[in-house]
Amino acid sequence: MLPLLLLLPLAHAAPRPALDNISFPDPSLTFDPHTRAWYAFATEANTHHVQAATSPTVHGPWSFLPSVDLLPSPGAWVNSTSPRVWAPDVQYLSETNSFVLYYSALSAHSRFHCVGAATSPNITGPFTPLSKPLICPIAEGGAIDAAGYVDEADGSRWIVYKVDGSALGPGGPCGNGEPPGEPTPLRLQRVDVGDGVTLVGEAVTILDRDPEVDGPLVEAPSLVRLRDGDAVRALGGGFVLFYSSHCFNSAEYDVKYAVAEGIDGPYERRGQLLGREAGSFGLERPGGATGVPGGGGLVLHAECEAGRCMYEADYVVEDGEIRIT
Ligand SMILES: *[C@@H]1O[C@H](CO)[C@@H](O)[C@H](O)[C@H]1NC(C)=O
Ligand SMILES: *[C@@H]1O[C@H](CO)[C@@H](O)[C@H](O)[C@H]1NC(C)=O
Ligand SMILES: *[C@@H]1O[C@H](CO)[C@@H](O)[C@H](O)[C@H]1NC(C)=O
Protein backbone atom coordinates (compact mmCIF):
# COMPACT_ATOMS: atom_id res chain seq x y z
CA MET A 1 0.00 0.00 0.00
CA LEU A 2 2.74 2.47 0.87
CA PRO A 3 4.18 2.87 -2.66
CA LEU A 4 0.65 3.45 -4.02
CA LEU A 5 -0.11 6.09 -1.39
CA LEU A 6 3.08 7.88 -2.29
CA LEU A 7 2.37 7.70 -5.99
CA LEU A 8 -1.19 9.05 -5.92
CA PRO A 9 -0.36 12.64 -4.99
CA LEU A 10 2.63 12.62 -7.32
CA ALA A 11 0.41 11.65 -10.21
CA HIS A 12 -1.33 15.03 -9.90
CA ALA A 13 1.58 17.19 -8.82
CA ALA A 14 2.79 20.22 -10.85
CA PRO A 15 1.32 21.37 -14.17
CA ARG A 16 1.52 18.57 -16.69
CA PRO A 17 0.94 18.25 -20.42
CA ALA A 18 -2.59 17.23 -21.38
CA LEU A 19 -1.96 17.20 -25.15
CA ASP A 20 1.73 17.49 -25.82
CA ASN A 21 2.00 17.38 -29.61
CA ILE A 22 -0.92 19.54 -30.81
CA SER A 23 -1.40 23.29 -30.73
CA PHE A 24 -4.54 23.70 -28.62
CA PRO A 25 -4.68 27.33 -27.41
CA ASP A 26 -7.14 28.88 -24.91
CA PRO A 27 -8.60 25.55 -23.77
CA SER A 28 -12.05 25.36 -22.16
CA LEU A 29 -13.79 22.44 -20.42
CA THR A 30 -17.27 20.89 -20.61
CA PHE A 31 -18.84 17.77 -19.11
CA ASP A 32 -21.13 15.90 -21.51
CA PRO A 33 -24.02 14.28 -19.61
CA HIS A 34 -24.85 12.16 -22.70
CA THR A 35 -21.56 10.27 -22.81
CA ARG A 36 -20.39 11.15 -19.26
CA ALA A 37 -17.08 12.19 -20.80
CA TRP A 38 -15.22 15.49 -20.51
CA TYR A 39 -14.45 17.65 -23.54
CA ALA A 40 -11.91 20.40 -24.08
CA PHE A 41 -12.18 22.99 -26.87
CA ALA A 42 -9.57 25.30 -28.36
CA THR A 43 -8.85 28.21 -30.70
CA GLU A 44 -8.57 27.54 -34.43
CA ALA A 45 -5.61 25.44 -35.59
CA ASN A 46 -4.95 22.15 -37.34
CA THR A 47 -7.43 23.19 -40.09
CA HIS A 48 -10.38 23.46 -37.63
CA HIS A 49 -12.22 26.61 -36.50
CA VAL A 50 -12.99 25.03 -33.12
CA GLN A 51 -10.83 22.11 -32.03
CA ALA A 52 -11.94 19.37 -29.62
CA ALA A 53 -10.39 16.75 -27.36
CA THR A 54 -12.03 14.29 -24.99
CA SER A 55 -11.19 12.47 -21.77
CA PRO A 56 -13.00 10.02 -19.48
CA THR A 57 -12.12 12.20 -16.45
CA VAL A 58 -11.42 15.90 -15.95
CA HIS A 59 -7.82 14.97 -15.14
CA GLY A 60 -7.20 13.13 -18.43
CA PRO A 61 -5.97 11.19 -20.27
CA TRP A 62 -6.95 13.55 -23.14
CA SER A 63 -7.30 12.49 -26.77
CA PHE A 64 -7.39 15.02 -29.60
CA LEU A 65 -10.35 14.52 -31.97
CA PRO A 66 -8.71 15.11 -35.38
CA SER A 67 -11.90 14.87 -37.43
CA VAL A 68 -14.09 17.13 -35.24
CA ASP A 69 -14.61 20.82 -36.04
CA LEU A 70 -17.47 22.15 -33.90
CA LEU A 71 -18.07 25.15 -36.13
CA PRO A 72 -17.56 24.41 -39.84
CA SER A 73 -19.55 27.59 -40.72
CA PRO A 74 -18.75 30.46 -38.32
CA GLY A 75 -21.86 32.49 -39.20
CA ALA A 76 -23.21 35.09 -41.61
CA TRP A 77 -21.78 37.97 -39.55
CA VAL A 78 -18.22 36.59 -39.68
CA ASN A 79 -15.52 37.55 -42.23
CA SER A 80 -15.57 34.41 -44.36
CA THR A 81 -12.07 34.77 -45.84
CA SER A 82 -10.49 35.37 -42.44
CA PRO A 83 -12.84 34.16 -39.65
CA ARG A 84 -10.13 33.92 -36.94
CA VAL A 85 -12.23 31.90 -34.50
CA TRP A 86 -10.78 32.17 -31.01
CA ALA A 87 -11.39 30.98 -27.45
CA PRO A 88 -14.46 28.68 -27.77
CA ASP A 89 -16.48 27.64 -24.73
CA VAL A 90 -19.38 25.15 -24.62
CA GLN A 91 -22.16 25.01 -22.02
CA TYR A 92 -24.84 22.37 -21.49
CA LEU A 93 -28.47 23.59 -21.55
CA SER A 94 -30.51 21.20 -19.43
CA GLU A 95 -33.91 22.65 -20.42
CA THR A 96 -33.42 21.63 -24.05
CA ASN A 97 -30.83 18.87 -23.49
CA SER A 98 -28.53 20.65 -25.96
CA PHE A 99 -25.38 22.78 -26.03
CA VAL A 100 -24.44 26.39 -26.69
CA LEU A 101 -21.02 27.36 -28.05
CA TYR A 102 -19.63 30.82 -27.35
CA TYR A 103 -16.76 31.91 -29.63
CA SER A 104 -15.00 35.02 -30.89
CA ALA A 105 -14.62 35.72 -34.61
CA LEU A 106 -13.64 38.56 -36.92
CA SER A 107 -16.71 40.57 -37.87
CA ALA A 108 -17.39 41.02 -41.59
CA HIS A 109 -18.59 44.56 -40.86
CA SER A 110 -15.53 45.94 -39.05
CA ARG A 111 -11.91 45.14 -38.30
CA PHE A 112 -12.86 43.86 -34.83
CA HIS A 113 -13.79 40.58 -33.21
CA CYS A 114 -17.20 39.96 -31.69
CA VAL A 115 -18.56 37.21 -29.47
CA GLY A 116 -20.93 34.84 -31.24
CA ALA A 117 -23.08 31.91 -30.16
CA ALA A 118 -24.10 28.68 -31.88
CA THR A 119 -26.24 25.74 -30.82
CA SER A 120 -26.23 21.96 -31.30
CA PRO A 121 -27.93 18.90 -29.81
CA ASN A 122 -24.51 17.24 -29.84
CA ILE A 123 -21.47 18.41 -27.90
CA THR A 124 -19.18 17.73 -30.85
CA GLY A 125 -21.49 19.65 -33.19
CA PRO A 126 -21.77 20.71 -35.88
CA PHE A 127 -23.02 23.89 -34.17
CA THR A 128 -25.44 26.22 -35.99
CA PRO A 129 -24.46 29.87 -35.50
CA LEU A 130 -26.96 32.62 -34.70
CA SER A 131 -27.34 35.05 -37.60
CA LYS A 132 -26.02 37.98 -35.53
CA PRO A 133 -23.21 38.29 -32.97
CA LEU A 134 -24.16 38.05 -29.31
CA ILE A 135 -21.84 40.74 -27.91
CA CYS A 136 -20.29 43.28 -30.25
CA PRO A 137 -19.15 46.59 -28.68
CA ILE A 138 -17.43 47.85 -31.87
CA ALA A 139 -16.85 51.36 -30.50
CA GLU A 140 -14.78 49.82 -27.67
CA GLY A 141 -12.77 47.49 -29.96
CA GLY A 142 -15.14 44.50 -30.04
CA ALA A 143 -15.21 41.54 -27.65
CA ILE A 144 -13.39 38.22 -27.32
CA ASP A 145 -12.73 35.37 -24.86
CA ALA A 146 -16.30 34.56 -23.75
CA ALA A 147 -16.68 31.89 -21.09
CA GLY A 148 -19.96 30.60 -19.67
CA TYR A 149 -20.70 30.06 -16.00
CA VAL A 150 -23.68 28.54 -14.19
CA ASP A 151 -24.14 29.30 -10.51
CA GLU A 152 -25.17 25.96 -9.01
CA ALA A 153 -26.49 27.73 -5.92
CA ASP A 154 -29.28 29.68 -7.66
CA GLY A 155 -29.21 28.26 -11.22
CA SER A 156 -28.37 31.63 -12.80
CA ARG A 157 -26.38 31.64 -16.05
CA TRP A 158 -23.65 34.13 -17.02
CA ILE A 159 -20.94 34.94 -19.57
CA VAL A 160 -17.63 36.64 -18.80
CA TYR A 161 -15.67 38.19 -21.68
CA LYS A 162 -13.00 40.72 -22.60
CA VAL A 163 -13.81 44.02 -24.29
CA ASP A 164 -11.00 44.03 -26.85
CA GLY A 165 -9.71 47.57 -26.36
CA SER A 166 -6.35 46.14 -27.43
CA ALA A 167 -7.59 46.24 -31.03
CA LEU A 168 -8.11 50.03 -30.76
CA GLY A 169 -4.79 50.70 -29.06
CA PRO A 170 -2.14 53.24 -30.06
CA GLY A 171 0.61 50.67 -30.85
CA GLY A 172 3.45 49.03 -28.96
CA PRO A 173 3.22 45.53 -27.49
CA CYS A 174 -0.05 43.82 -28.61
CA GLY A 175 -1.08 47.14 -30.18
CA ASN A 176 -1.95 48.63 -26.78
CA GLY A 177 1.43 49.01 -25.08
CA GLU A 178 1.95 52.76 -25.60
CA PRO A 179 0.53 55.07 -22.90
CA PRO A 180 -2.18 55.73 -22.12
CA GLY A 181 -3.62 52.72 -23.98
CA GLU A 182 -7.23 51.65 -24.14
CA PRO A 183 -9.19 49.93 -21.36
CA THR A 184 -9.65 46.15 -21.78
CA PRO A 185 -12.44 45.55 -19.26
CA LEU A 186 -13.56 42.06 -18.30
CA ARG A 187 -17.36 42.09 -18.24
CA LEU A 188 -20.02 39.89 -16.73
CA GLN A 189 -23.30 39.46 -18.61
CA ARG A 190 -26.28 37.53 -17.31
CA VAL A 191 -28.04 35.33 -19.89
CA ASP A 192 -31.26 33.36 -19.92
CA VAL A 193 -30.79 30.09 -18.06
CA GLY A 194 -32.82 28.18 -20.65
CA ASP A 195 -31.27 29.23 -23.97
CA GLY A 196 -27.91 30.71 -22.92
CA VAL A 197 -28.17 33.41 -25.61
CA THR A 198 -30.86 35.88 -24.50
CA LEU A 199 -29.08 38.69 -22.67
CA VAL A 200 -30.61 39.59 -19.30
CA GLY A 201 -29.90 43.13 -18.08
CA GLU A 202 -26.73 45.11 -18.70
CA ALA A 203 -23.14 43.81 -18.61
CA VAL A 204 -21.03 44.98 -15.66
CA THR A 205 -17.27 45.51 -15.60
CA ILE A 206 -15.67 43.26 -12.97
CA LEU A 207 -11.99 44.01 -13.62
CA ASP A 208 -9.88 46.21 -15.94
CA ARG A 209 -6.22 46.51 -16.81
CA ASP A 210 -3.87 48.28 -14.45
CA PRO A 211 -1.03 49.22 -16.83
CA GLU A 212 1.48 49.12 -13.94
CA VAL A 213 0.95 45.42 -13.31
CA ASP A 214 -0.90 44.11 -16.36
CA GLY A 215 0.94 45.88 -19.18
CA PRO A 216 -1.24 46.28 -22.27
CA LEU A 217 -4.20 44.11 -21.27
CA VAL A 218 -6.16 41.67 -19.18
CA GLU A 219 -7.98 38.87 -21.03
CA ALA A 220 -9.14 35.23 -21.00
CA PRO A 221 -11.50 35.44 -17.98
CA SER A 222 -12.80 32.23 -16.40
CA LEU A 223 -15.12 32.18 -13.39
CA VAL A 224 -15.49 29.41 -10.80
CA ARG A 225 -17.17 29.24 -7.43
CA LEU A 226 -15.40 27.43 -4.60
CA ARG A 227 -17.41 25.59 -1.98
CA ASP A 228 -17.80 27.62 1.18
CA GLY A 229 -15.59 26.70 4.13
CA ASP A 230 -12.88 28.10 6.39
CA ALA A 231 -10.25 28.16 3.62
CA VAL A 232 -12.58 30.03 1.28
CA ARG A 233 -13.56 32.53 4.00
CA ALA A 234 -9.85 33.15 4.64
CA LEU A 235 -9.38 33.66 0.89
CA GLY A 236 -11.92 36.52 0.97
CA GLY A 237 -14.66 35.03 -1.19
CA GLY A 238 -15.80 31.99 -3.10
CA PHE A 239 -15.98 33.53 -6.58
CA VAL A 240 -12.61 33.20 -8.30
CA LEU A 241 -11.89 34.99 -11.57
CA PHE A 242 -8.87 33.61 -13.41
CA TYR A 243 -7.41 35.84 -16.14
CA SER A 244 -4.22 36.53 -18.10
CA SER A 245 -2.23 39.75 -18.46
CA HIS A 246 0.42 41.06 -20.89
CA CYS A 247 0.84 39.89 -24.51
CA PHE A 248 0.20 36.22 -25.19
CA ASN A 249 3.42 36.05 -27.23
CA SER A 250 5.64 37.68 -24.58
CA ALA A 251 7.54 36.15 -21.66
CA GLU A 252 5.26 38.14 -19.28
CA TYR A 253 2.07 36.26 -20.21
CA ASP A 254 0.63 34.69 -17.07
CA VAL A 255 -2.36 33.39 -15.12
CA LYS A 256 -3.64 35.72 -12.41
CA TYR A 257 -6.68 35.58 -10.14
CA ALA A 258 -9.07 37.83 -8.28
CA VAL A 259 -11.68 36.92 -5.67
CA ALA A 260 -15.12 38.23 -4.69
CA GLU A 261 -17.90 37.36 -2.28
CA GLY A 262 -20.65 37.99 -4.85
CA ILE A 263 -20.63 37.18 -8.55
CA ASP A 264 -20.69 40.82 -9.67
CA GLY A 265 -17.82 41.82 -7.39
CA PRO A 266 -16.04 43.84 -6.29
CA TYR A 267 -13.18 41.51 -7.33
CA GLU A 268 -10.01 41.88 -5.32
CA ARG A 269 -6.83 41.25 -7.35
CA ARG A 270 -4.67 38.58 -5.77
CA GLY A 271 -1.77 38.58 -8.22
CA GLN A 272 -0.15 35.82 -10.22
CA LEU A 273 -0.93 32.15 -9.97
CA LEU A 274 1.46 31.07 -12.72
CA GLY A 275 4.09 33.28 -14.30
CA ARG A 276 7.52 34.78 -13.89
CA GLU A 277 6.97 36.13 -10.36
CA ALA A 278 4.82 33.35 -8.91
CA GLY A 279 6.79 30.60 -10.64
CA SER A 280 5.82 28.79 -13.77
CA PHE A 281 7.08 25.25 -13.18
CA GLY A 282 9.06 25.42 -16.40
CA LEU A 283 6.05 26.50 -18.50
CA GLU A 284 6.70 29.27 -21.02
CA ARG A 285 4.03 31.96 -21.55
CA PRO A 286 1.32 30.14 -19.57
CA GLY A 287 -2.16 31.60 -20.02
CA GLY A 288 -5.68 31.26 -21.37
CA ALA A 289 -6.68 29.27 -18.29
CA THR A 290 -10.12 27.76 -17.61
CA GLY A 291 -11.06 26.64 -14.12
CA VAL A 292 -12.52 23.19 -13.49
CA PRO A 293 -16.11 23.87 -12.37
CA GLY A 294 -16.27 23.73 -8.56
CA GLY A 295 -12.54 24.40 -8.19
CA GLY A 296 -9.33 22.47 -7.66
CA GLY A 297 -7.93 22.47 -11.17
CA LEU A 298 -7.21 24.42 -14.32
CA VAL A 299 -6.49 23.76 -17.95
CA LEU A 300 -4.31 26.31 -19.71
CA HIS A 301 -1.91 26.61 -22.60
CA ALA A 302 1.85 27.14 -22.68
CA GLU A 303 4.49 27.12 -25.41
CA CYS A 304 5.51 23.81 -26.91
CA GLU A 305 7.12 22.64 -30.13
CA ALA A 306 3.70 22.29 -31.82
CA GLY A 307 2.64 25.85 -30.82
CA ARG A 308 0.56 26.37 -27.66
CA CYS A 309 -0.16 23.02 -25.99
CA MET A 310 -2.81 22.26 -23.37
CA TYR A 311 -1.60 21.69 -19.79
CA GLU A 312 -3.43 20.74 -16.60
CA ALA A 313 -2.65 22.16 -13.16
CA ASP A 314 -4.07 21.66 -9.67
CA TYR A 315 -4.34 24.25 -6.93
CA VAL A 316 -5.05 24.43 -3.23
CA VAL A 317 -6.70 27.19 -1.21
CA GLU A 318 -4.52 27.69 1.84
CA ASP A 319 -3.49 30.51 4.18
CA GLY A 320 -5.74 33.01 2.41
CA GLU A 321 -4.39 32.37 -1.06
CA ILE A 322 -4.53 30.03 -4.04
CA ARG A 323 -1.39 28.11 -4.89
CA ILE A 324 -0.54 25.74 -7.72
CA THR A 325 0.51 22.37 -6.32
C1 LIG B 1 0.29 12.94 -30.98
O1 LIG B 1 0.45 11.86 -30.08
C2 LIG B 1 -0.59 10.89 -30.15
C3 LIG B 1 -0.39 9.90 -29.02
O2 LIG B 1 0.96 9.52 -28.93
C4 LIG B 1 -0.56 10.26 -31.54
O3 LIG B 1 -1.60 9.29 -31.65
C5 LIG B 1 -0.78 11.35 -32.59
O4 LIG B 1 -0.67 10.80 -33.89
C6 LIG B 1 0.24 12.47 -32.43
N1 LIG B 1 -0.15 13.57 -33.29
C7 LIG B 1 0.71 14.27 -34.02
C8 LIG B 1 0.13 15.39 -34.84
O5 LIG B 1 1.91 14.03 -34.03
C1 LIG C 1 -11.74 40.05 -44.09
O1 LIG C 1 -10.46 40.03 -43.50
C2 LIG C 1 -9.42 40.29 -44.43
C3 LIG C 1 -8.11 40.04 -43.67
O2 LIG C 1 -8.08 40.73 -42.44
C4 LIG C 1 -9.56 41.69 -44.97
O3 LIG C 1 -8.54 41.97 -45.89
C5 LIG C 1 -10.92 41.82 -45.63
O4 LIG C 1 -11.13 43.17 -46.03
C6 LIG C 1 -12.04 41.40 -44.67
N1 LIG C 1 -13.30 41.34 -45.39
C7 LIG C 1 -14.37 41.96 -44.97
C8 LIG C 1 -15.62 41.73 -45.75
O5 LIG C 1 -14.34 42.68 -43.99
C1 LIG D 1 -22.53 13.30 -31.98
O1 LIG D 1 -21.39 13.41 -32.80
C2 LIG D 1 -20.55 12.28 -32.73
C3 LIG D 1 -19.28 12.58 -33.50
O2 LIG D 1 -19.55 13.12 -34.74
C4 LIG D 1 -21.30 11.08 -33.28
O3 LIG D 1 -20.49 9.94 -33.19
C5 LIG D 1 -22.58 10.88 -32.47
O4 LIG D 1 -23.33 9.85 -33.04
C6 LIG D 1 -23.40 12.15 -32.42
N1 LIG D 1 -24.50 11.97 -31.47
C7 LIG D 1 -25.71 12.45 -31.68
C8 LIG D 1 -26.70 12.25 -30.57
O5 LIG D 1 -26.00 13.06 -32.70
Side-chain angles (χ1 to χ4, degrees):
M1 278 319 278
L2 192 58
L4 182 64
L5 286 175
L6 288 173
L7 274 174
L8 278 177
L10 280 180
H12 279 184
R16 54 202 176 274
L19 290 172
D20 63 4
N21 62 358
I22 286 278
S23 194
F24 203 81
D26 310 311
S28 61
L29 279 174
T30 314
F31 178 71
D32 177 16
H34 297 162
T35 57
R36 306 203 64 75
W38 284 85
Y39 284 82
F41 304 104
T43 282
E44 67 177 11
N46 304 304
T47 74
H48 297 325
H49 292 137
V50 174
Q51 304 188 84
T54 189
S55 165
T57 78
V58 76
H59 291 296
W62 290 95
S63 310
F64 179 61
L65 297 171
S67 61
V68 174
D69 181 354
L70 266 62
L71 195 64
S73 315
W77 61 271
V78 175
N79 181 323
S80 56
T81 53
S82 178
R84 297 165 81 193
V85 179
W86 298 343
D89 181 86
V90 173
Q91 300 288 316
Y92 177 63
L93 302 169
S94 56
E95 280 185 23
T96 49
N97 191 27
S98 66
F99 298 87
V100 60
L101 163 68
Y102 303 118
Y103 61 101
S104 316
L106 187 57
S107 153
H109 311 289
S110 73
R111 60 184 182 88
F112 302 112
H113 270 70
C114 297
V115 168
T119 57
S120 171
N122 193 336
I123 191 166
T124 52
F127 281 76
T128 305
L130 305 190
S131 57
K132 288 189 280 193
L134 194 60
I135 298 166
C136 198
I138 291 293
E140 294 177 288
I144 62 171
D145 292 350
Y149 169 77
V150 174
D151 193 340
E152 300 296 345
D154 65 5
S156 58
R157 185 180 286 281
W158 308 79
I159 303 172
V160 284
Y161 61 93
K162 172 202 182 187
V163 174
D164 198 15
S166 307
L168 276 182
C174 302
N176 198 32
E178 303 291 344
E182 296 292 326
T184 63
L186 304 183
R187 293 218 173 115
L188 175 76
Q189 170 71 59
R190 189 169 185 164
V191 292
D192 181 74
V193 66
D195 67 16
V197 299
T198 302
L199 308 186
V200 178
E202 298 284 312
V204 294
T205 294
I206 53 174
L207 201 86
D208 201 350
R209 74 189 265 262
D210 171 354
E212 291 289 318
V213 294
D214 301 318
L217 59 85
V218 288
E219 64 183 13
S222 167
L223 193 57
V224 300
R225 186 177 191 170
L226 306 178
R227 209 165 290 128
D228 198 25
D230 290 345
V232 166
R233 279 191 288 277
L235 181 65
F239 287 94
V240 179
L241 177 71
F242 298 106
Y243 61 100
S244 291
S245 73
H246 294 89
C247 299
F248 81 97
N249 56 2
S250 77
E252 284 82 27
Y253 207 51
D254 58 12
V255 179
K256 288 177 168 166
Y257 73 103
V259 302
E261 287 180 3
I263 190 164
D264 52 0
Y267 282 82
E268 186 194 330
R269 294 160 162 277
R270 304 301 296 272
Q272 255 184 4
L273 193 58
L274 269 171
R276 289 213 297 199
E277 289 110 64
S280 54
F281 300 86
L283 301 184
E284 282 179 54
R285 307 174 192 169
T290 293
V292 172
L298 294 169
V299 292
L300 66 145
H301 72 235
E303 293 294 302
C304 65
E305 214 165 284
R308 286 175 285 163
C309 287
M310 176 162 88
Y311 289 79
E312 299 173 273
D314 300 314
Y315 60 81
V316 290
V317 182
E318 226 170 53
D319 306 326
E321 60 173 22
I322 297 183
R323 244 190 347 265
I324 298 290
T325 56

